[in-house]
Each structure stands twice: as C-alpha cells, then as structure tokens.
Amino acid sequence: MSSYTEHITRVLTEDHEHPGVGTVAVLTFAPPEGEEKRPATLGPRSIDAVTGAIDAALDRAEAGEVQAIALTGTGRVFLAGADLSMFADPTAVSNVEAMTRAAHALQIRVRTSSVPVLAHLNGVALGGGLEVALMADVRTAPAGLKGLGVPETSLGILPGWGGTTLLQSVVGPETAVRMILEDPARDKQVGADEALEIGLIDEIAEDLDEALDEFAALIAAHVDVDESDTDIVDPSVVEAVAAASPIPGAWAGREAPLPGVDTPEAEALLDALDAAHGSAETRRTWAARLENQGAPAVARALDLLQKLPGSTLEDALAREADALAELVRTDAAAASMYSAELLRRGKPGRRPVDGAREIQRVGVAGAGLMAAQIAAQLALGLQVPVIMRDLDEATAAKGLAAAREVIAQTAARGRIDEETATTIAAALDATTDLQQLADCDLVLEAVPEVLTIKKSVFAELEGVLAEDALLVTNTSSLSVTAMSEGLAHPERVVGLHFFNPVAKMPLVEVIHTEATDEATLATGLEVVRRLRKFAVRSADAPGFIVNRLLFRVLGGVLAPLDAGADPAEVDASLDALGLPMRPFALLDLVGLGVADHVGTVLQGELGDRFHASPGLSTMAERSAHFTERGRDAVHPPVSPTVAEVFGADGEGAADGAGAAGSEASALVGDALLERVRDGLAEEIAIMLDDGVIERPEQIDLALILGAGFPRHRGGITPYLDATGTSQRVAGRSFHGEMFTRG
C-alpha cells in the first residue's frame, strides 16, 4: 500500500491577445488551491495535468485558434521538478516510467507544433521543471532570478524527461555536460545573468507582458525582420515562419536538437566528455570512479550524452527513459533521495526558534584563529556588537584583524554590500579587559582544548556576567558537563561545536547537558539558525556525533597500521565508502596533534573500542605528514615517513595502544572495510541506546555536513542497512526495511 500523497499541480489556462503575436494560450503552473506556499511539483497526476494542458493548447494551435503558447508559474516558482517525496515510496517509484513516457511524448509533439512556444521562468525551475521549459522555443526570466538547473545526478538519477537529450542543443555541449555531470555535485545552480550568457534563456523580462514583447521580437528575428524597425510583430509573421518550416506543419524557427555524426557539434560534445575534471582526472575517469563507489548516475548520463550524435530524437529519448527507469530502483537513488530530504528538512528555518532569548551583544573568550572565525560569523549572522577578549594585547589585535578580514572577504564575494560590511566590521572589537564582556548576553569560549583552561574561563566569566547570560563552549570533544561543574548556574551552559573552516562548514553541533534549560537550548539553536547553518542536537557525550564516529573510523585505520600493515594498502581500503578524501589526507587536514589528542580522550572516555595509536603520537611529535603534496593524482601519495614510523613488522603497536591495537591484525582491503563498517554500526547502536541522539537521521545529517559522507550513501545508517552490517552487528536495521536488500 502506498504512503505517498501527491499535492497536485494545477494548470491555469487563459488566452492573452498580444498585438505582435496574436492569440496566446497562457498556461500557468500553480500549487494546489489553498497550498500557495508550496512549490508546484510534478507527481503522477501533476504531470498528467501539465502534459494534458499543453496537449490541449497544441490541439488549439493546430485548429488555428491560437498563434502561440506561453508557459509560466506563480510566486517564486516556475516548476520545482519531480516531487521528491514520491521517490521515498517504493510503490510510487513505479509511476516514474509512465511519467517519463508522457514527458517524452510531449517533447516530440512540441517539436512538430505549428506555433512557437514561450517559457517565462518567473521563478525556480529545477530538474523536470527546467526540462518542461526546454520544450519551449524561447525562454525568458526576470533579472535576479536564481534556481535554474538539473540536479538529478546528485539524487542518484539523471535528467530523464528530455534534459540529458536536449540541453546540449540549447546551451552548447561543454555547458550542458558541466550542468548535468558536475554542477549537481557542487550544489551549483544557474541565475538569470549566467543563464542569459550561456543561452539557457534568450532575454531578460521582468513579467509575462514584457516576456511576450521579447517573444514577438525574437519571432520576427527568425524571418529577418529588423527589431530596430518595429516594436511588435504582425500575426502574419508567425504564419510566414510556419510556412517556411523544414518539417511540414512545424514552426520553422526550430533547429534540429541532436548533432549529426562527425559534425563539429558532435566533436565538441565528445571533447567535453573527455575534458578534465579537476587537475587529476577527466570527466570519464571521475564518472567511472563514482560508479565504483556505488554512484552510477554520472556514468549513465555520460554514456547517454556520448550516444547522441547521429541519433533520432525518438531513439535518444528511449535510451534516456531506460536509463532513468534503471536508476530510480538503485540503492544510490533511494539513499540520495533520503539525504536530499534530510538536507531539505534540516536547513535553517525562516522563523525564530520558540523560547529563544534576545541577543543584543556577544562576547568571544579567545582571539586565536578559530575564535576570530567564529566571531566573524556571529557578527555577520546576528549583526550585533561582538567583542573578543584575550589575555595578550597582540593576540587580541591580530584576532580582530582576522575577523574583520573575513567580513571583507564576504563582501568581496558579493554576499553583503560594502556599506553593510563596514557597519558589521565596525561592530567588531577586541580587548584584554574581562569587564568589557560584562554586558554580553552570550559569551562563547574558544580557548585551547584543555578542560582545566575552559573551566577556569567559565568560572571567570560567571563572575562578571548577568545570571541569565549564556555560557557557550566550542569544544570538539571535552565534556560540557565537566566544564560546568562548580558553576552557580550550569543551566545556562550549552555547546556550539563549529567546524573548521567556520565560514564554509555548514554544520554546528548543539550540545545540551542534563542541566541545560530549555531557554538556553532554544537560544543556542536560534543563534545557529541566524548564522544560516544546520543545527544538529546531541547530548553531552565524548566526541558528540561527528568526531566520535570519525575517530572510530580513523582508529580502525590506524590499528592495522600499528600492526604492520602496508600504509598505501591501508589508505586505499575505504575507497568504496566514497569519502571525499582518504584517511591519511583527512588526518593531515585535522592535524596530527589534534587527532592524537582526540583519539586519546575518546579511548579514555569510551574504552578500548577506540584505538589510541602510538604511531600517530610519534608522527605528531615529529611534525610529520601522512601524505605528500601533489596535484597530479586524485589521492595524494603516502609519505615514506609513515612506513619509517610505523614499521613494516608491527613495531608501531606499543604498550598502551589498547585492545583495539593489540588485537588488530594487519587487515587491508575488504577485510579492513568490513571491520570499519562493523565498528560504525556498533558505535551508532550504542549512541542510540544511550540517548546521545534520538534518531539515526541526526547522525546521517551530521556526517554528510560535517565529514563529507557521500550523499549517494544517504549518510552512514542507510549504507550500513543496505550492506546488512547493522543487522549483523547491532541485531537491527536502523531504518527497518527501507534500505535493506531483497
């Protein structure tokens, strides 16, 4: 039985008389009546409504009742594409093939229609929504519009309602290949200015009336009417264009949508597919690597693009339909849709968090690199005075300069204007005087990761702050509860764990202790919301979410290394997970001193299932690196120092390495991958049972945003379910039957 409920898109139809075109059938896509805040999407009944309305307009065109057709949307949305909630229901997915046939049949019919078609992209047009717009002969959009693209390959599928076939004929091969294959992985969409530049839209038009005027001029251009000689086009122009069509009865302004064999267009398409992806691989080798990591969509899209030259439209669309039908049933599509929904639901809301206190002034205890980054984000997001305090005047001044530089860079990227940047920078200050923090509503400590130091800072702050002022810690692994011991008001303490680099990393872990009161927690969540970052709640537990699981992985890798396994083989063993970088590169990014410290803390707090590596300690002491720099390889090569330090005979495993180290054999490859998966399943089950988090979705969102865990895996818990690991190790699947095989 299906659990999917469709919100059916309406198509509002009316005739519009335009002096330069004649009678225009205007079709407006709208959400269900009474649900105007929802975007118009495409489910099974919605696509019937859309294709049916366009078919009816085409019938009228053939009968001579209308001289053109115009498509547009309502509010801020043209068409938002396929309804993603449909893909979460296994029974609803079976509708995709029929929906694809309907979309393709309409694509073919529009190609032979006798009148031109306009799509005025009044708002967002993504995926299937943009593919509907690709049916049109002319596209317009208002200046400032954002949200055009085909994100399907990031969802485990491909643009299967004509996009993979037709986009290259609109924007050219290179741009189409980039938009279909690469932009989705970068979460990149196209705005109006870029759309005009690449040919995705033909003109800027602020509303439908202006769009129809531009439409008339463009129709005239197809029969060599000089736009400078006339502002409008007589309806006879439309008839003249139609009479000149190379396809009997079809409007003559259309060009063949597919390149012929051995044509310059075909050569350009193949060149685009062979082009570089980054500095170390081509688009083809990147697609193959993704496929080996369980993400086949990019490779399938690339294959379809390669087969376009010499194809008929019907054959190309048939291949597209087959590929889409296959992909929607893959594990990668199910997991990708799940992660997309996680990200949609988890994104910062527009409404303030209920119960949050008002924040008018913020302090930051510390003025080092991390403190300066956080201070800048607090100033940008809250737009209130922010003051940093450090014991050393030089450090305070350096931190203030660094924070103001972040503001300047934000303005340089166009995210705020210069006037706003100047105002925000002026509201940033630094001091060595503790009393200058006295009137702050919230003070965040970002001092060295040493419990005694953090406790002393909190005790010092409590002596000058108002009783209801929040004390916030940015600790990445220490106990917030322990930090609060001895305070008169531990209920006002909360953790906001920012990730480095703060400006780029979208996740903040919000840590509450048993003493944290509701107003404090709500205020912490509200601060994160106003910074436009994703908040994931965690109880106070060692490592919280991301670091706890990340160091379970890194400990699992370091244990066989300490036992004498070959370093290069160890580093490559987790490639199937699809992580953005290999473990050794990640260790270098985290910093070996930090990694050694966190690993030791977690072993001390959670026991020997966390591996404290003696080899890592030695590497940190030597200020060594696990990898060597290089831009000619996807993964940086392993440094020879690793073999020297860890040794090839297991000598790196010293006393004190813990049970995980002493019992570990020198596992590599699939055996090591399985051990790491087992460890993750075990740890997640413990975290759920202990109440560190309430739902596995919190873990998945945190790892996607905080550790770059691949979206095509859905986060970690769907992957552990799909591989059977969670059932075998934890005795249960984290999502029931949702991701289990068979």
Side-chain angles (χ1 to χ4, degrees):
M1 182 177 178
S2 177
S3 61
Y4 169 59
T5 300
E6 182 177 357
H7 298 266
I8 304 169
T9 293
R10 297 176 294 152
V11 184
L12 311 177
T13 304
E14 64 176 348
D15 287 350
H16 186 112
E17 296 298 329
H18 189 277
V21 181
T23 302
V24 182
V26 178
L27 278 57
T28 303
F29 309 126
E33 193 169 359
E35 300 183 35
E36 281 73 19
K37 291 185 178 181
R38 292 185 61 89
T41 55
L42 294 171
R45 295 170 67 184
S46 297
I47 203 163
D48 284 346
V50 168
T51 58
I54 298 174
D55 266 328
L58 292 170
D59 289 342
R60 295 184 65 204
E62 290 176 3
E65 297 177 17
V66 298
Q67 283 73 55
I69 298 169
L71 312 175
T72 192
T74 57
R76 298 180 178 180
V77 177
F78 173 77
L79 261 179
D83 184 357
L84 294 187
S85 61
M86 173 181 64
F87 292 92
D89 187 322
T91 59
V93 168
S94 62
N95 294 314
V96 172
E97 291 183 48
M99 296 169 69
T100 303
R101 286 194 298 270
H104 285 175
L106 189 61
Q107 291 277 13
I108 292 170
R109 186 178 181 196
V110 168
R111 305 300 305 179
T112 60
S113 66
S114 59
V115 301
V117 179
L118 164 71
H120 176 59
L121 306 178
N122 60 292
V124 171
L126 292 171
L130 186 59
E131 289 172 286
V132 169
L134 290 178
M135 298 178 183
D137 301 294
V138 173
R139 281 163 296 279
T140 58
L145 172 67
K146 297 178 181 179
L148 306 178
V150 280
E152 284 92 337
T153 52
S154 70
L155 300 173
I157 54 176
L158 49 74
W161 293 347
T164 310
T165 299
L166 296 173
L167 186 59
Q168 49 77 37
S169 67
V170 174
V171 300
E174 169 59 31
T175 301
V177 170
R178 188 206 76 207
M179 287 180 67
I180 293 170
L181 302 188
E182 295 178 329
D183 283 0
R186 299 166 179 160
D187 286 330
K188 182 181 184 301
Q189 297 171 3
V190 173
D193 290 344
E194 183 181 354
L196 182 63
E197 181 181 344
I198 65 179
L200 185 58
I201 63 172
D202 299 281
E203 294 290 346
I204 296 291
E206 294 306 314
D207 54 31
L208 182 62
D209 287 339
E210 186 178 339
L212 287 170
D213 291 341
E214 298 290 355
F215 185 40
L218 289 167
I219 292 171
H222 283 296
V223 287
D224 298 322
V225 174
D226 187 348
E227 294 180 52
S228 64
D229 294 336
T230 180
D231 292 328
I232 61 174
V233 182
D234 190 276
S236 62
V237 171
V238 178
E239 296 174 6
V241 174
S245 172
I247 302 175
W251 185 66
R254 298 188 189 100
E255 299 178 356
L258 301 181
V261 177
D262 296 330
T263 61
E265 293 79 10
E267 184 177 345
L269 178 58
L270 297 178
D271 286 346
L273 298 175
D274 286 324
H277 174 79
S279 60
E281 58 189 338
T282 67
R283 285 168 171 158
R284 290 185 189 276
T285 56
W286 170 62
R289 179 164 62 84
L290 288 179
E291 189 166 26
N292 289 334
Q293 293 172 349
V298 170
R300 289 305 307 272
L302 188 148
D303 180 63
L304 291 177
L305 289 163
Q306 180 170 304
K307 291 176 179 176
L308 288 180
S311 293
T312 65
L313 179 60
E314 291 79 0
D315 287 345
L317 291 175
R319 289 194 298 266
E320 188 181 87
D322 289 344
L324 179 59
E326 177 186 325
L327 287 171
V328 295
R329 289 174 169 81
T330 61
D331 290 344
S336 297
M337 298 292 176
Y338 163 83
S339 61
E341 184 66 9
L342 275 185
L343 292 163
R344 185 190 70 80
R345 292 201 314 263
K347 69 182 180 182
R350 295 181 180 179
R351 295 181 179 179
V353 177
D354 290 340
R357 296 185 180 126
E358 184 178 2
I359 301 295
Q360 296 183 331
R361 181 175 170 84
V362 172
V364 176
L369 178 60
M370 194 69 176
Q373 292 184 69
I374 294 173
Q377 295 307 307
L378 291 169
L380 285 163
L382 302 179
Q383 297 201 10
V384 299
V386 176
I387 182 166
M388 291 182 285
R389 186 254 178 173
D390 202 279
L391 299 175
D392 178 71
E393 288 187 3
T395 301
K398 185 176 180 181
L400 177 60
R404 287 177 172 169
E405 177 60 24
V406 171
I407 307 300
Q409 291 173 1
T410 304
R413 289 192 293 268
R415 295 182 181 176
I416 55 174
D417 58 45
E418 291 293 340
E419 183 178 353
T420 301
T422 300
T423 301
I424 293 172
L428 273 166
D429 202 356
T431 184
T432 58
D433 183 1
L434 179 66
Q435 289 298 321
Q436 290 199 37
L437 303 182
D439 58 350
C440 290
D441 305 299
L442 178 156
V443 178
L444 181 145
E445 71 76 17
V447 298
E449 194 77 348
V450 179
L451 183 59
T452 54
I453 296 177
K454 291 181 181 289
K455 288 190 68 170
S456 68
V457 167
F458 269 5
E460 188 179 43
L461 289 169
E462 192 169 49
V464 299
L465 296 176
E467 290 186 1
D468 61 349
L470 267 65
L471 290 173
V472 181
T473 174
N474 182 50
T475 182
S476 60
S477 60
L478 297 176
S479 169
V480 181
T481 301
M483 220 174 290
S484 309
E485 288 176 356
L487 295 177
H489 297 284
E491 71 277 1
R492 51 141 161 206
V493 176
V494 68
L496 296 183
H497 176 212
F498 291 84
F499 289 76
N500 192 26
V502 178
K504 293 183 178 180
M505 294 298 284
L507 175 69
V508 178
E509 292 179 325
V510 181
I511 316 303
H512 55 90
T513 71
E514 292 184 3
T516 303
D517 64 27
E518 292 184 3
T520 297
L521 178 58
T523 307
L525 292 168
E526 172 63 5
V527 168
V528 177
R529 185 194 71 84
R530 290 177 63 182
L531 269 55
R532 310 308 299 162
K533 293 186 181 291
F534 290 75
V536 177
R537 290 174 54 173
S538 170
D540 183 28
F544 313 129
I545 300 173
V546 174
N547 280 343
R548 180 164 174 169
L549 293 174
L550 199 57
F551 279 86
R552 189 72 197 257
V553 172
L554 292 174
V557 168
L558 289 166
L561 198 62
D562 279 319
D566 177 81
E569 291 185 33
V570 168
D571 196 33
S573 292
L574 305 189
D575 283 359
L577 285 178
L579 292 168
M581 61 183 68
R582 283 179 170 171
F584 291 176
L586 179 59
L587 282 165
D588 284 342
L589 179 66
V590 169
L592 304 193
V594 171
D596 186 41
H597 169 74
V598 174
T600 302
V601 168
L602 290 175
Q603 188 194 53
E605 294 283 344
L606 297 172
D608 285 344
R609 66 179 187 272
F610 282 83
H611 177 67
S613 167
L616 174 61
S617 297
T618 302
M619 293 283 290
E621 290 169 3
R622 293 188 182 185
S623 299
H625 295 280
F626 274 81
T627 63
E628 295 182 322
R629 292 185 177 183
R631 296 180 55 83
D632 56 350
V634 175
H635 302 292
V638 177
S639 169
T641 306
V642 179
E644 295 172 10
V645 169
F646 285 85
D649 55 0
E651 291 179 358
D655 291 341
S662 61
E663 295 175 5
S665 59
L667 296 179
V668 295
D670 290 344
L672 177 54
L673 174 63
E674 181 175 342
R675 173 168 288 183
V676 167
R677 288 195 307 226
D678 288 356
L680 286 168
E682 178 189 31
E683 203 63 34
I684 290 168
I686 292 170
M687 292 168 71
L688 286 164
D689 292 343
D690 289 351
V692 177
I693 41 88
E694 296 177 355
R695 305 179 311 279
E697 290 86 351
Q698 292 168 266
I699 284 177
D700 296 323
L701 185 61
L703 287 187
I704 289 169
L705 296 171
F709 203 88
R711 297 181 192 181
H712 72 265
R713 298 297 191 194
I716 183 62
T717 63
Y719 174 63
L720 295 174
D721 280 358
T723 56
T725 307
S726 52
Q727 183 65 48
R728 178 169 51 80
V729 174
R732 65 185 188 267
S733 295
F734 297 121
H735 298 275
E737 298 180 356
M738 187 174 179
F739 298 106
T740 53
R741 292 176 175 173

